[in-house]
Amino acid sequence: MTTPTRIGLAGLAVMGQNLALNIAEKGFPISVYNRTTSKVDETVERAKKEGNLPVFGFHDPESFVHSIQKPRVIIMLVKAGAPVDQTIKTLSVYMEKGDCIIDGGNEWYENTERREKAMSELGLLYLGMGVSGGEEGARNGPSLMPGGSFEAFKHIEDILLKVAAQVPDSGPCVTYIGKGGSGNFVKMIHNGIEYGDMQLIAEAYDVLKSVGKLSNEELHKVFSEWNKGELLSFLIEITADIFKIKDDKGDGYLVDKVLDKTGMKGTGKWTVQQAAELSIAAPTIASSLDSRFLSGLKEERVEAAKKLVDDVRQALYASKICSYAQGMNLIRAKSVEKGWDLELGELARIWKGGCIIRAIFLDRIKKAYDRNAGLANLLVDPEFATEIVERQSAWRRVVCLSINAGISTPGMSSSLAYFDTYRRGRLPANLVQAQRDYFGAHTYERVDVPGAFHTEWFKLAKSSKI
């Protein structure tokens, strides 16, 4: 091969292979490399089968780097942490000033900032780019969240605009996020919101199944119906699909045979840690039976189940608003702390397609920020506020019913607590602060006079007992 390729990609697990094929399919010749060379041949083979796509494989890093046109752009899709540092070390030896490395993995944002600094000392540009949409998204159009060197982004913008998911009316699901590790940070919060969404859907399923006694067939119908309205989203759609899949290894439905033990990577945990560090409440993200209550006549149960289904739909929607409000608040707080100037409406726009949390609902969030870019919380946007207030009776019924039935709904319950905390003018935190001042002289502020005060509560209490 004599003509240089437009871009390179290193790290050919499924995500890497699929992204490489997507790039090639959009008309950009691409060089690929992997430490285990069999993956290189596998990718080239797939490219032939999937339409003779311009994918060129290399078994050694030197010829891989030299095959790419200057200034070179190389995307890495390897495991976060040490493997990223190792890959950078392997490739950067052969790279020249002005070349660019892009990390497309789920990396901790501070690692990206460290690497960007180290790379700039070598004259190399660096981007940390969140990629959402799973294997299918990587192949057919993901949501992309690049952050770091703006100059590097400009080198690859034409490719990203074509490779990203395309949403009619709002364009490609990619935008330059901001400086430093902002792309990784935004992707991390995206994953935290995703965990919240999945937890809330699981709770809705639990209530409908355990209290409402809905069969998998009925659940499939309910979720399919929900996916036609305000809850229309990728996660509701795949949930509906899951309920109709029969077990290929026995009787019944597959969902009932799946062990109730969930795997997770680091991003959800990181989100919760960031919430604590930034002092931003994110309880929905953090929180990621007995049928006698509804015994009696079948007709009554069917009627009750209908009412329950509608209540659960409303509770799920209201909880979801709280979950997204928390995620957006985390992003805003970090943006202020780091001086990133992130545009929350633009983030909602690029999540509308390609990614796991894609949903019609995100359009509403974008519009809320269009109406008011400085919106303090989604809960105070007039439209969302109205919707939550309209749904709160149903929401409270579902949470009460679950408590009475002994079914834990931590996501819905903590979302409701978040909403109630937010809408109340005064909270019992005054008592906690008084306690802190009593035992630790931490001082307190007053509602009526400015300044910090300390009271010798112990002495006053003692004298009043005499």
Side-chain angles (χ1 to χ4, degrees), residues 143 167-170 173 347-355 357-360 362-363 366:
S143 176
V167 175
D169 307 330
S170 73
C173 293
L347 301 184
R349 182 189 71 75
I350 67 166
W351 290 345
K352 278 168 60 180
C355 71
I357 63 173
R358 61 185 182 265
I360 199 164
L362 283 156
D363 201 39
K366 181 189 179 310

Side-chain angles (χ1 to χ4, degrees), residues 195 198-199 202 258-265 288:
Y195 280 39
M198 291 163 77
Q199 173 65 25
V258 176
L259 181 69
D260 53 340
K261 180 183 177 189
T262 308
M264 76 170 259
K265 297 189 175 160
S288 299

Side-chain angles (χ1 to χ4, degrees), residues 109-110 113 185 274 277-279 330-341:
Y109 81 98
E110 288 179 324
E113 300 195 328
F185 188 86
Q274 279 298 297
E277 229 173 82
L278 293 162
S279 304
L330 278 168
I331 292 171
R332 177 206 304 289
K334 184 55 95 176
S335 178
V336 169
E337 182 199 293
K338 306 284 287 185
W340 283 339
D341 293 330

Side-chain angles (χ1 to χ4, degrees), residues 245-299:
I245 308 293
K246 299 262 173 70
D247 184 10
D248 56 349
K249 292 187 172 47
D251 295 337
Y253 287 83
L254 187 55
V255 67
D256 299 320
K257 311 285 170 70
V258 176
L259 181 69
D260 53 340
K261 180 183 177 189
T262 308
M264 76 170 259
K265 297 189 175 160
T267 46
K269 186 172 75 185
W270 288 343
T271 302
V272 176
Q273 288 167 342
Q274 279 298 297
E277 229 173 82
L278 293 162
S279 304
I280 295 289
T284 314
I285 292 171
S287 50
S288 299
L289 290 166
D290 191 337
S291 67
R292 62 175 181 241
F293 300 102
L294 276 171
S295 56
L297 298 172
K298 169 83 174 150
E299 290 81 62

Side-chain angles (χ1 to χ4, degrees), residues 388-401:
I388 256 193
V389 169
E390 282 169 356
R391 286 163 180 74
Q392 65 168 327
S393 307
W395 195 6
R396 292 181 198 286
R397 279 196 296 275
V398 171
V399 170
C400 290
L401 185 67

